Amino acid sequence: MNRSLGGTAGGGVVAISPFVSNNGTNRLWPPESFRELTRLLIQEGLKVVLCHHPSNRQQAREYAEAGTEVACIELDLRSTAAVFSLCSLLVSVETGLVHVAEGVNLPVVSILGAFPPSRVLSRSDYSDCLFEKSHPCVPCYESQGCPYNRKCMDEITPLEVFEKVLDV
């Protein structure tokens, strides 16, 4: 299957995974940033599918109700892998779905903030990661209680992620 994004002419499906478990709040990218990224992707002619765990059902509902034109799907891991096989790309914070995507050879743009890519990803090429190296907390191994108010995640802009998506 050709997974190219295809620009506005060919369309393409981008999966997003904006949520983490309750014990990983430092790994979250701001919801408004994910919504703006979604808007940019749709404006580019791409379809967006939000993949989430049942524990994130309420967050997904709020995301959809915020006016974001996105299909929300709640699936088990096997079904998620099947959906990923039909997608062009995954944009995700540091979640288990990144590993599922890697398992089906789906390209991933990872929003990691100060989390070192080598700690999170199983591959050796990290060119598609947004990893902030300039913060005093790098590398970060904390999942909660950031003394820098998650500045490393908040400073990654939707436009940066969008441009990375178009480069992959």
Side-chain angles (χ1 to χ4, degrees):
M1 173 182 170
N2 180 1
R3 287 192 165 157
S4 76
L5 291 175
T8 54
V13 179
V14 176
I16 61 171
S17 178
F19 311 127
V20 296
S21 62
N22 290 336
N23 63 352
T25 55
N26 284 355
R27 299 177 300 181
L28 288 170
W29 196 41
E32 60 275 9
S33 294
F34 256 112
R35 284 192 288 274
E36 176 62 13
L37 172 65
T38 299
R39 188 190 65 71
L40 291 168
L41 294 169
I42 291 169
Q43 188 176 345
E44 186 68 17
L46 302 166
K47 309 259 186 299
V48 179
V49 176
L50 185 149
C51 300
H52 66 92
H53 186 270
S55 66
N56 300 114
R57 186 176 296 136
Q58 181 60 36
Q59 291 169 291
R61 185 176 295 123
E62 290 168 5
Y63 191 93
E65 289 172 357
T68 309
E69 297 177 32
V70 61
C72 295
I73 57 171
E74 179 182 308
L75 302 168
D76 60 41
L77 288 178
R78 182 174 293 186
S79 300
T80 300
V83 168
F84 282 179
S85 71
L86 303 173
C87 292
S88 306
L89 180 86
L90 171 66
V91 177
S92 182
V93 291
E94 191 257 308
T95 68
L97 293 185
V98 169
H99 303 290
V100 174
E102 287 180 332
V104 296
N105 296 315
L106 178 64
V108 178
V109 171
S110 299
I111 304 168
L112 301 176
F115 290 89
S118 60
R119 178 177 176 253
V120 177
L121 305 170
S122 60
R123 62 186 187 279
S124 60
D125 177 16
Y126 306 122
S127 62
D128 53 357
C129 296
L130 290 143
F131 172 64
E132 297 296 323
K133 298 177 183 152
S134 61
H135 290 279
C137 54
V138 172
C140 177
Y141 295 101
E142 301 296 327
S143 59
Q144 293 183 350
C146 175
Y148 299 99
N149 295 320
R150 300 175 345 100
K151 194 173 181 180
C152 63
M153 293 299 278
D154 295 343
E155 289 180 351
I156 298 172
T157 69
L159 187 57
E160 280 180 277
V161 177
F162 178 69
E163 289 172 348
K164 186 69 76 170
V165 165
L166 295 181
D167 284 344
V168 171

